[in-house]
Amino acid sequence: MGCGNTFFSLLIAFSVALITYNILISANAPLKQELPGPSIPSSGFSVDPVIKMPHDRSRRFAGGGGGKRRLFHTAVTASDSVYSNWQCRVMYYWFKKHQSKPNSEMGGFTRILHSGKPDRYMDEIPTFVAQPLPSGMDQGYIVLNRPWAFVQWLRQADIKEDYILMSEPDHIIVKPIPNLSRDGLGAAFPFFYIDPKKYEAVLRKFFPEDKGPITNIDPIGNSPVIVGKESLKKIAPTWMNVSLAMKKDPETDKAFGWVLEMYAYAVSSALHGVGNILYKDFMIQPPWDKEIGQKFIIHYTYGCDYNMKGESTYGKIGEWRFDKRSYDKVAPPKNLPLPPPGVPESVVTLVKMVNEATANIPNWGS
């Protein structure tokens, strides 16, 4: 988990210096002209906007056997804040609940802690301690530490599985997750607000025309994504460099705002010729998605506000509410009140799952 010996410290310090040097003084042409990675293959293979799980794979999972399991390692980047910690603890609780169930191809788990030092949860959650970016390099956008943290983890950790699921602290796993990737493609959730065609003029600074049509950039972020480990090892350094370059470019920074790092991953995946199955059933986002259905993950990024009639008051604090941002300084208490009748299943399930986790995680709130 934590690695505190002198050799490791020197290795990390050297890595930080080397990465910083590569970012600031690259031996290659500027990022906007030549980014690492091969041209997109011209094989003619295309990916539908939405591809369901192939029927043969669905039957095999349902049967609980036959065929080799393709395990993936779940990785979650995190800071050392109270806000990040309680979400990671809830997330890991549900990971463990589903890890060994039928249909699961969930292997190991790592919280990639990019604070640079161990914390009090090292013994509760398997953790790799990564160094943050050098001071000031994230320009106040802490998410830029995510790709740099993945670069360190992928280079230094002994990862047994051949695939990686990149997840986030505010993900709750609803049921066992199979390996949704196949045929060299990643599997990713398509975000409606990631629209490469709309921003082609901006993206061409980082994805030149000789790399292929702008539609080769999938409408994804880096999470949730299941991707081959070797592919991610190639993508991650590019993702880091593209993220930093986008943040330093005023036009790009203004265009993408808080989703900048998501666009950077999508661009980097395309630069390395790694396409993605766009899997709508990967997750839901309450309160907009109202039913769990066949989804695997609840992403509780949006606040949920309702009156006592069960009617949404989104944009206005409701008589009943659940919003993770209400707990940025202190973890949510045990036994949160359930929403009133009429509130969608997704919101009810979310609160029940948070309550179960907090009731069973040792020393919650201490």
Side-chain angles (χ1 to χ4, degrees), residues 158-175:
D158 181 17
I159 307 163
K160 304 298 185 185
E161 299 83 358
D162 291 330
Y163 299 86
I164 308 295
L165 165 60
M166 293 186 286
S167 191
E168 295 185 16
D170 61 351
H171 286 177
I172 291 181
I173 297 173
V174 178
K175 65 179 183 178

PDB file of all heavy atoms in Angstrom, residues 158-175:
ATOM      1  N   ASP A 158       2.397  -3.222  -9.501  1.00  0.00           N
ATOM      2  CA  ASP A 158       2.324  -4.570 -10.069  1.00  0.00           C
ATOM      3  C   ASP A 158       0.846  -4.924 -10.238  1.00  0.00           C
ATOM      4  O   ASP A 158       0.191  -5.383  -9.303  1.00  0.00           O
ATOM      5  CB  ASP A 158       3.018  -5.556  -9.140  1.00  0.00           C
ATOM      6  CG  ASP A 158       2.996  -6.986  -9.680  1.00  0.00           C
ATOM      7  OD1 ASP A 158       2.745  -7.155 -10.887  1.00  0.00           O
ATOM      8  OD2 ASP A 158       3.217  -7.922  -8.881  1.00  0.00           O
ATOM      9  N   ILE A 159       0.323  -4.685 -11.426  1.00  0.00           N
ATOM     10  CA  ILE A 159      -1.095  -4.878 -11.714  1.00  0.00           C
ATOM     11  C   ILE A 159      -1.260  -6.238 -12.384  1.00  0.00           C
ATOM     12  O   ILE A 159      -0.770  -6.457 -13.488  1.00  0.00           O
ATOM     13  CB  ILE A 159      -1.632  -3.754 -12.622  1.00  0.00           C
ATOM     14  CG1 ILE A 159      -1.310  -2.384 -12.012  1.00  0.00           C
ATOM     15  CG2 ILE A 159      -3.133  -3.907 -12.853  1.00  0.00           C
ATOM     16  CD1 ILE A 159      -1.427  -1.230 -13.000  1.00  0.00           C
ATOM     17  N   LYS A 160      -1.948  -7.144 -11.724  1.00  0.00           N
ATOM     18  CA  LYS A 160      -2.047  -8.509 -12.217  1.00  0.00           C
ATOM     19  C   LYS A 160      -2.993  -8.645 -13.412  1.00  0.00           C
ATOM     20  O   LYS A 160      -2.775  -9.465 -14.302  1.00  0.00           O
ATOM     21  CB  LYS A 160      -2.534  -9.434 -11.091  1.00  0.00           C
ATOM     22  CG  LYS A 160      -1.684  -9.412  -9.828  1.00  0.00           C
ATOM     23  CD  LYS A 160      -0.273  -9.885 -10.078  1.00  0.00           C
ATOM     24  CE  LYS A 160       0.517  -9.967  -8.772  1.00  0.00           C
ATOM     25  NZ  LYS A 160       1.937 -10.325  -9.008  1.00  0.00           N
ATOM     26  N   GLU A 161      -4.070  -7.861 -13.416  1.00  0.00           N
ATOM     27  CA  GLU A 161      -5.102  -8.006 -14.446  1.00  0.00           C
ATOM     28  C   GLU A 161      -4.655  -7.375 -15.766  1.00  0.00           C
ATOM     29  O   GLU A 161      -3.810  -6.469 -15.790  1.00  0.00           O
ATOM     30  CB  GLU A 161      -6.414  -7.369 -13.976  1.00  0.00           C
ATOM     31  CG  GLU A 161      -6.995  -7.987 -12.715  1.00  0.00           C
ATOM     32  CD  GLU A 161      -6.388  -7.456 -11.431  1.00  0.00           C
ATOM     33  OE1 GLU A 161      -5.453  -6.610 -11.502  1.00  0.00           O
ATOM     34  OE2 GLU A 161      -6.837  -7.857 -10.347  1.00  0.00           O
ATOM     35  N   ASP A 162      -5.261  -7.828 -16.856  1.00  0.00           N
ATOM     36  CA  ASP A 162      -4.925  -7.324 -18.191  1.00  0.00           C
ATOM     37  C   ASP A 162      -5.796  -6.147 -18.617  1.00  0.00           C
ATOM     38  O   ASP A 162      -5.565  -5.568 -19.682  1.00  0.00           O
ATOM     39  CB  ASP A 162      -5.062  -8.436 -19.235  1.00  0.00           C
ATOM     40  CG  ASP A 162      -3.994  -9.511 -19.067  1.00  0.00           C
ATOM     41  OD1 ASP A 162      -2.883  -9.179 -18.595  1.00  0.00           O
ATOM     42  OD2 ASP A 162      -4.279 -10.683 -19.396  1.00  0.00           O
ATOM     43  N   TYR A 163      -6.787  -5.816 -17.803  1.00  0.00           N
ATOM     44  CA  TYR A 163      -7.698  -4.715 -18.128  1.00  0.00           C
ATOM     45  C   TYR A 163      -7.853  -3.810 -16.912  1.00  0.00           C
ATOM     46  O   TYR A 163      -7.679  -4.237 -15.771  1.00  0.00           O
ATOM     47  CB  TYR A 163      -9.075  -5.240 -18.547  1.00  0.00           C
ATOM     48  CG  TYR A 163      -9.048  -6.115 -19.774  1.00  0.00           C
ATOM     49  CD1 TYR A 163      -8.793  -7.482 -19.672  1.00  0.00           C
ATOM     50  CD2 TYR A 163      -9.274  -5.575 -21.040  1.00  0.00           C
ATOM     51  CE1 TYR A 163      -8.749  -8.284 -20.802  1.00  0.00           C
ATOM     52  CE2 TYR A 163      -9.236  -6.384 -22.175  1.00  0.00           C
ATOM     53  CZ  TYR A 163      -8.968  -7.733 -22.050  1.00  0.00           C
ATOM     54  OH  TYR A 163      -8.927  -8.514 -23.168  1.00  0.00           O
ATOM     55  N   ILE A 164      -8.202  -2.554 -17.177  1.00  0.00           N
ATOM     56  CA  ILE A 164      -8.397  -1.566 -16.118  1.00  0.00           C
ATOM     57  C   ILE A 164      -9.782  -0.948 -16.263  1.00  0.00           C
ATOM     58  O   ILE A 164     -10.175  -0.564 -17.367  1.00  0.00           O
ATOM     59  CB  ILE A 164      -7.350  -0.425 -16.199  1.00  0.00           C
ATOM     60  CG1 ILE A 164      -5.927  -0.983 -16.261  1.00  0.00           C
ATOM     61  CG2 ILE A 164      -7.537   0.556 -15.044  1.00  0.00           C
ATOM     62  CD1 ILE A 164      -5.480  -1.712 -15.032  1.00  0.00           C
ATOM     63  N   LEU A 165     -10.509  -0.870 -15.150  1.00  0.00           N
ATOM     64  CA  LEU A 165     -11.713  -0.038 -15.084  1.00  0.00           C
ATOM     65  C   LEU A 165     -11.336   1.241 -14.367  1.00  0.00           C
ATOM     66  O   LEU A 165     -10.969   1.228 -13.188  1.00  0.00           O
ATOM     67  CB  LEU A 165     -12.846  -0.735 -14.328  1.00  0.00           C
ATOM     68  CG  LEU A 165     -14.023   0.167 -13.881  1.00  0.00           C
ATOM     69  CD1 LEU A 165     -14.708   0.839 -15.061  1.00  0.00           C
ATOM     70  CD2 LEU A 165     -15.021  -0.604 -13.032  1.00  0.00           C
ATOM     71  N   MET A 166     -11.399   2.365 -15.069  1.00  0.00           N
ATOM     72  CA  MET A 166     -11.206   3.666 -14.433  1.00  0.00           C
ATOM     73  C   MET A 166     -12.556   4.136 -13.919  1.00  0.00           C
ATOM     74  O   MET A 166     -13.502   4.321 -14.687  1.00  0.00           O
ATOM     75  CB  MET A 166     -10.608   4.663 -15.421  1.00  0.00           C
ATOM     76  CG  MET A 166      -9.179   4.318 -15.823  1.00  0.00           C
ATOM     77  SD  MET A 166      -8.408   5.587 -16.852  1.00  0.00           S
ATOM     78  CE  MET A 166      -9.265   5.292 -18.409  1.00  0.00           C
ATOM     79  N   SER A 167     -12.627   4.297 -12.615  1.00  0.00           N
ATOM     80  CA  SER A 167     -13.864   4.691 -11.965  1.00  0.00           C
ATOM     81  C   SER A 167     -13.614   5.945 -11.132  1.00  0.00           C
ATOM     82  O   SER A 167     -12.518   6.518 -11.167  1.00  0.00           O
ATOM     83  CB  SER A 167     -14.380   3.536 -11.107  1.00  0.00           C
ATOM     84  OG  SER A 167     -15.682   3.761 -10.654  1.00  0.00           O
ATOM     85  N   GLU A 168     -14.630   6.377 -10.368  1.00  0.00           N
ATOM     86  CA  GLU A 168     -14.520   7.599  -9.581  1.00  0.00           C
ATOM     87  C   GLU A 168     -15.114   7.382  -8.193  1.00  0.00           C
ATOM     88  O   GLU A 168     -15.951   6.485  -7.999  1.00  0.00           O
ATOM     89  CB  GLU A 168     -15.222   8.761 -10.292  1.00  0.00           C
ATOM     90  CG  GLU A 168     -14.566   9.128 -11.609  1.00  0.00           C
ATOM     91  CD  GLU A 168     -15.186  10.351 -12.257  1.00  0.00           C
ATOM     92  OE1 GLU A 168     -15.918  11.097 -11.574  1.00  0.00           O
ATOM     93  OE2 GLU A 168     -14.938  10.563 -13.454  1.00  0.00           O
ATOM     94  N   PRO A 169     -14.719   8.217  -7.229  1.00  0.00           N
ATOM     95  CA  PRO A 169     -15.245   8.053  -5.876  1.00  0.00           C
ATOM     96  C   PRO A 169     -16.768   8.111  -5.796  1.00  0.00           C
ATOM     97  O   PRO A 169     -17.370   7.406  -4.975  1.00  0.00           O
ATOM     98  CB  PRO A 169     -14.611   9.226  -5.112  1.00  0.00           C
ATOM     99  CG  PRO A 169     -13.326   9.486  -5.839  1.00  0.00           C
ATOM    100  CD  PRO A 169     -13.656   9.251  -7.282  1.00  0.00           C
ATOM    101  N   ASP A 170     -17.411   8.924  -6.635  1.00  0.00           N
ATOM    102  CA  ASP A 170     -18.871   9.056  -6.563  1.00  0.00           C
ATOM    103  C   ASP A 170     -19.599   8.061  -7.465  1.00  0.00           C
ATOM    104  O   ASP A 170     -20.676   8.352  -7.981  1.00  0.00           O
ATOM    105  CB  ASP A 170     -19.316  10.489  -6.859  1.00  0.00           C
ATOM    106  CG  ASP A 170     -18.932  10.968  -8.256  1.00  0.00           C
ATOM    107  OD1 ASP A 170     -18.163  10.262  -8.950  1.00  0.00           O
ATOM    108  OD2 ASP A 170     -19.386  12.060  -8.647  1.00  0.00           O
ATOM    109  N   HIS A 171     -19.011   6.904  -7.630  1.00  0.00           N
ATOM    110  CA  HIS A 171     -19.653   5.785  -8.325  1.00  0.00           C
ATOM    111  C   HIS A 171     -20.063   4.743  -7.295  1.00  0.00           C
ATOM    112  O   HIS A 171     -19.264   4.369  -6.436  1.00  0.00           O
ATOM    113  CB  HIS A 171     -18.700   5.120  -9.323  1.00  0.00           C
ATOM    114  CG  HIS A 171     -18.466   5.923 -10.559  1.00  0.00           C
ATOM    115  ND1 HIS A 171     -17.585   5.509 -11.555  1.00  0.00           N
ATOM    116  CD2 HIS A 171     -18.972   7.100 -10.984  1.00  0.00           C
ATOM    117  CE1 HIS A 171     -17.582   6.401 -12.529  1.00  0.00           C
ATOM    118  NE2 HIS A 171     -18.411   7.378 -12.205  1.00  0.00           N
ATOM    119  N   ILE A 172     -21.286   4.264  -7.380  1.00  0.00           N
ATOM    120  CA  ILE A 172     -21.733   3.141  -6.571  1.00  0.00           C
ATOM    121  C   ILE A 172     -22.065   1.984  -7.512  1.00  0.00           C
ATOM    122  O   ILE A 172     -22.866   2.141  -8.437  1.00  0.00           O
ATOM    123  CB  ILE A 172     -22.965   3.503  -5.717  1.00  0.00           C
ATOM    124  CG1 ILE A 172     -22.574   4.498  -4.619  1.00  0.00           C
ATOM    125  CG2 ILE A 172     -23.582   2.253  -5.101  1.00  0.00           C
ATOM    126  CD1 ILE A 172     -23.721   4.890  -3.705  1.00  0.00           C
ATOM    127  N   ILE A 173     -21.420   0.856  -7.289  1.00  0.00           N
ATOM    128  CA  ILE A 173     -21.638  -0.317  -8.137  1.00  0.00           C
ATOM    129  C   ILE A 173     -22.932  -1.000  -7.698  1.00  0.00           C
ATOM    130  O   ILE A 173     -23.073  -1.387  -6.540  1.00  0.00           O
ATOM    131  CB  ILE A 173     -20.439  -1.272  -8.050  1.00  0.00           C
ATOM    132  CG1 ILE A 173     -19.182  -0.573  -8.581  1.00  0.00           C
ATOM    133  CG2 ILE A 173     -20.709  -2.548  -8.842  1.00  0.00           C
ATOM    134  CD1 ILE A 173     -17.900  -1.360  -8.377  1.00  0.00           C
ATOM    135  N   VAL A 174     -23.850  -1.134  -8.627  1.00  0.00           N
ATOM    136  CA  VAL A 174     -25.184  -1.649  -8.338  1.00  0.00           C
ATOM    137  C   VAL A 174     -25.250  -3.169  -8.454  1.00  0.00           C
ATOM    138  O   VAL A 174     -26.008  -3.831  -7.748  1.00  0.00           O
ATOM    139  CB  VAL A 174     -26.221  -1.001  -9.280  1.00  0.00           C
ATOM    140  CG1 VAL A 174     -27.618  -1.541  -9.036  1.00  0.00           C
ATOM    141  CG2 VAL A 174     -26.204   0.509  -9.126  1.00  0.00           C
ATOM    142  N   LYS A 175     -24.450  -3.723  -9.360  1.00  0.00           N
ATOM    143  CA  LYS A 175     -24.449  -5.166  -9.566  1.00  0.00           C
ATOM    144  C   LYS A 175     -23.097  -5.571 -10.131  1.00  0.00           C
ATOM    145  O   LYS A 175     -22.307  -4.705 -10.570  1.00  0.00           O
ATOM    146  CB  LYS A 175     -25.584  -5.584 -10.510  1.00  0.00           C
ATOM    147  CG  LYS A 175     -25.452  -5.062 -11.930  1.00  0.00           C
ATOM    148  CD  LYS A 175     -26.625  -5.553 -12.786  1.00  0.00           C
ATOM    149  CE  LYS A 175     -26.482  -5.105 -14.235  1.00  0.00           C
ATOM    150  NZ  LYS A 175     -27.581  -5.612 -15.079  1.00  0.00           N
TER     151      LYS A 175
END
